[in-house]
Amino acid sequence: LTVGTSGDKTSHKDNPILLSDTFYRVGGADSNPGKVTTCVIINSSDVIGDNFWVWRADHGAGVGWNKNTADTGVIINGDNVTMYGLFVEHFQEYQTIWNGNGGKLYFYQSEMPYDAPNQKYYMSHNGKVKGYASFKIGDEVNDFYGCGLGIYCYNRDANIEIFSGAEIPNKDGVEIRNIVTVKLNGQGQITHVINDKGDSVTS
């Protein structure tokens, strides 16, 4: 799903776009899985999203790290986008990237991929940082509010370290409240909660 045109900053504040109860699945249902780069791209400003489930299969039929490939679940480029209930799971790079200003997020749930085969295939920042944060706010963002974020790891297939659950710019206008990371099972860990802050989550 792509909403709006890249780079268009037209205001829709008097007639916002509403997207409610939308569901996306990449693979896991049959032996001929689909592939995507990104499931959802929101370019328009003043969008309201209510209940998104965005899922790359890492179990089920026809599933494999090199089969049902999908880089990123959600990319939000528009300004003043509000999301209520955003669930993004198992993508092979960032789960969610938020580049727009004035964003608001209420309740985010995300699992990292179970099936990363080893650490070298799961490195961000051109191979310099272990793992990919689930939730990334772009460096150019100056204004964002998020509340109630749960980020989980289950490194089923390999001993994977994920440096942080969320990666955000250190700016006064960027605020996240009530965020937690959890190790569900498996190997490795999420080492920090936000950037390099917060204790590691282990078994």
Side-chain angles (χ1 to χ4, degrees):
L1 174 70
T2 300
V3 182
T5 304
S6 178
D8 184 4
K9 293 295 184 179
T10 302
S11 173
H12 300 280
K13 67 179 182 179
D14 295 327
N15 186 23
I17 298 164
L18 174 62
L19 304 169
S20 184
D21 299 326
T22 69
F23 305 93
Y24 311 83
R25 176 173 178 157
V26 184
D30 58 48
S31 59
N32 296 297
K35 298 181 180 185
V36 300
T37 302
T38 305
C39 279
V40 180
I41 301 172
I42 297 177
N43 293 314
S44 292
S45 296
D46 306 291
V47 172
I48 299 169
D50 177 27
N51 187 23
F52 275 50
W53 185 67
V54 189
W55 193 72
R56 173 194 165 261
D58 49 15
H59 53 276
V63 171
W65 188 254
N66 297 313
K67 290 182 179 179
N68 58 320
T69 57
D71 290 346
T72 306
V74 177
I75 299 176
I76 295 175
N77 296 318
D79 293 336
N80 305 313
V81 173
T82 300
M83 297 293 294
Y84 299 96
L86 178 60
F87 312 92
V88 190
E89 300 187 298
H90 311 155
F91 289 85
Q92 294 173 299
E93 295 182 6
Y94 295 107
Q95 307 302 303
T96 302
I97 301 173
W98 200 300
N99 294 319
N101 274 297
K104 293 181 175 62
L105 172 63
Y106 302 95
F107 189 28
Y108 176 75
Q109 183 269 326
S110 180
E111 281 182 0
M112 309 294 194
Y114 295 6
D115 59 339
N118 55 55
Q119 189 76 68
K120 77 173 184 176
Y121 286 105
Y122 201 54
M123 299 283 290
S124 59
H125 297 272
N126 296 315
K128 297 177 182 177
V129 175
K130 291 182 177 179
Y132 285 86
S134 167
F135 190 74
K136 177 177 174 60
I137 298 177
D139 294 339
E140 303 304 315
V141 174
N142 297 311
D143 181 14
F144 176 88
Y145 176 82
C147 182
L149 288 76
I151 296 168
Y152 319 130
C153 73
Y154 172 25
N155 301 316
R156 182 191 62 202
D157 297 344
N159 187 9
I160 303 290
E161 179 186 350
I162 299 144
F163 185 73
S164 78
E167 188 177 307
I168 72 171
N170 186 17
K171 298 179 181 179
D172 290 342
V174 177
E175 180 179 1
I176 292 184
R177 294 190 176 198
N178 302 101
I179 179 173
V180 349
T181 61
V182 174
K183 178 179 176 178
L184 297 173
N185 206 334
Q187 308 170 66
Q189 65 186 37
I190 301 171
T191 302
H192 299 290
V193 181
I194 298 178
N195 298 341
D196 61 352
K197 308 298 183 193
D199 291 337
S200 63
V201 175
T202 68
S203 56

